[in-house]
Amino acid sequence: MNLILLGPPGAGKGTQAAMIVEKYNIPHISTGDIFRENIKNGTKLGKKAKAYMDKGELVPDSLVIEIAEDRLRKEDCKEGFLLDGFPRTVEQAVALDAFLADEGKKVDHVLDIDVDKPELLKRITGRRVCQACGATFHVTGMPPKVEGVCDKCGGELIQRADDTVETAENRIEVYNSQTKPLLDYYDRAGNIAHLDGAIGKDNLFVKITEILGE
């Protein structure tokens, strides 16, 4: 089963992705995670990506397509995958369809999670991430037991550079202008489901499993 998860920053894609991966036993491919890993390790790709991500801008299509296709060739993707953060533009979607067609595959389902802007800003700006293990918390939604300290490993919790109000607003604007045309693209393809991201993570997952099947 080849899946794509769409939705603006803060829509809860990461939470749903973890639940989907556990239930359906397919790899979660997040281009954001791949880029962050490269940034952490100081690779050439990481340095290129960081300049864009710190400003809340999208990494150029050519760079994203290259890294996504390389990941999709890996052995663990043979039985399916969940793409999160890719494609983000129609150009990337067209490249993905062409790549999959060459492999004798296609996109089975596109899941679009929609949340309004005030709720997105609240979610994004309240997010805190552990510097050591990467665990995610939220100042109101899922606070740590001790403020600023990770429950899992005791590491320091920080606000990511792209989780400030200014950058969050820019990320949402970038999503709306560049990624929303994707919804029309997949509407025409007839393989997209539009989901209300404000109904709570468990209710949302029930809706997703109804679409994907048991």
Side-chain angles (χ1 to χ4, degrees):
M1 187 156 48
N2 304 324
L3 311 176
I4 293 172
L5 202 50
L6 292 179
K13 296 189 300 294
T15 301
Q16 294 304 316
M19 295 163 84
I20 291 167
V21 165
E22 184 178 353
K23 181 171 179 64
Y24 295 99
N25 197 29
I26 53 175
H28 173 209
I29 301 171
S30 164
T31 48
D33 287 347
I34 295 170
F35 282 129
R36 275 190 281 275
E37 184 67 23
N38 279 274
I39 289 166
K40 186 179 171 186
N41 295 330
T43 67
K44 186 177 175 183
L45 174 65
K47 287 172 184 171
K48 274 190 192 175
K50 188 174 190 299
Y52 294 96
M53 292 170 74
D54 282 352
K55 290 185 283 188
E57 294 176 1
L58 293 182
V59 177
D61 283 342
S62 56
L63 200 58
V64 180
I65 291 165
E66 184 184 344
I67 197 169
E69 289 184 355
D70 180 64
R71 178 67 184 86
L72 289 171
R73 288 189 184 97
K74 301 276 193 273
E75 187 68 28
D76 64 341
C77 293
K78 287 219 181 317
E79 298 302 317
F81 52 79
L82 172 66
L83 281 170
D84 171 9
F86 178 85
R88 275 188 170 165
T89 65
V90 172
E91 184 180 336
Q92 290 176 16
V94 171
L96 174 63
D97 282 346
F99 170 79
L100 291 176
D102 285 345
E103 303 277 317
K105 299 176 180 176
K106 65 180 176 62
V107 173
D108 295 309
H109 296 283
V110 181
L111 305 169
D112 167 45
I113 304 174
D114 188 38
V115 179
D116 65 25
K117 185 177 175 181
E119 177 63 19
L120 290 174
L121 287 173
K122 182 177 156 191
R123 291 182 184 186
I124 294 169
T125 57
R127 186 160 51 193
R128 299 293 181 268
V129 180
C130 176
Q131 272 192 309
C133 74
T136 304
F137 298 85
H138 193 278
V139 291
T140 55
M142 195 171 66
K145 290 174 183 151
V146 179
E147 188 177 344
V149 179
C150 176
D151 291 355
K152 296 182 179 178
C153 75
E156 181 188 359
L157 298 183
I158 60 159
Q159 184 181 49
R160 282 189 344 211
D162 54 351
D163 283 347
T164 61
V165 173
E166 295 78 14
T167 306
E169 286 194 331
N170 190 41
R171 287 168 68 200
I172 293 166
E173 183 53 42
V174 166
Y175 175 82
N176 286 338
S177 63
Q178 297 192 33
T179 313
K180 278 209 168 173
L182 267 182
L183 305 185
D184 295 333
Y185 179 84
Y186 288 118
D187 272 327
R188 287 193 297 273
N191 58 357
I192 190 168
H194 301 286
L195 300 153
D196 180 1
I199 61 175
K201 65 176 184 178
D202 294 330
N203 290 331
L204 181 54
F205 188 63
V206 168
K207 295 280 186 191
I208 289 172
T209 56
E210 286 172 359
I211 293 161
L212 303 183
E214 289 302 319

